[in-house]
Amino acid sequence: MTGAHSDPLDRLGAELMHSIPKVGLTGEFQFVVETKHAIEFAEGGMPAVLATPSLIGLIERTARQALAPLLDANERTVGTEIEMRHLAPTPVGATVTLTVRVIRAEGREVTFAVEARDGHETIARGVHKRAVIRVESFSKRVAAKLAAPGKG
């Protein structure tokens, strides 16, 4: 990177990431739905199926891992937004494939189109945003909250 302001992922004048994610960059993760991924209320005839919170967590993980090779050692990404439709149930034992694709990279924010499929159909679709952060700055912000907890 040449100048501090030449990096489009830098709104604040400090360089971020050693490689900017290109639109179209994809990541994929495949997993088998286990009991730990299932809804908590699978009883009284309700089948054990993939829970939405578990699905969201795995989508975030997939996006985070897709960006990891582009980050500097002192950087990570954190999820900032997810808009998703969980379209169909997936039973325990089924294989799910998650695909994330960069559709925008601007400033510190990277936006992904996300999709989840089981062996039969698309089970979820949406958009997920992540922000590039510096570990030191993020840690200082968290420490300040711990030192002076807000009033509930």
Side-chain angles (χ1 to χ4, degrees), residues 72-94:
D72 288 333
N74 66 338
E75 295 174 330
R76 302 293 185 277
T77 63
V78 293
T80 59
E81 186 177 332
I82 191 153
E83 182 179 320
M84 188 187 78
R85 293 187 64 209
H86 196 162
L87 304 166
T90 303
V92 169

Side-chain angles (χ1 to χ4, degrees), residues 22 24 30 45 54 58 68 72 96-97 116 121 143:
K22 297 199 179 338
Q30 194 171 73
S54 293
L58 290 167
D72 288 333
V96 173
T97 302
E121 61 192 327

Side-chain angles (χ1 to χ4, degrees), residues 49-53 55-56 59 83-91 96-98 114-118 120-127:
V49 294
L50 176 61
T52 303
L55 179 58
I56 289 170
I59 286 169
E83 182 179 320
M84 188 187 78
R85 293 187 64 209
H86 196 162
L87 304 166
T90 303
V96 173
T97 302
L98 306 177
V114 300
E115 183 177 84
R117 296 188 58 81
D118 63 18
H120 300 277
E121 61 192 327
T122 298
I123 62 164
R125 185 177 289 137
V127 175

Side-chain angles (χ1 to χ4, degrees), residues 16-29:
L16 289 171
M17 304 176 86
H18 63 266
S19 183
I20 299 164
K22 297 199 179 338
V23 170
L25 171 79
T26 60
E28 189 172 287
F29 178 66

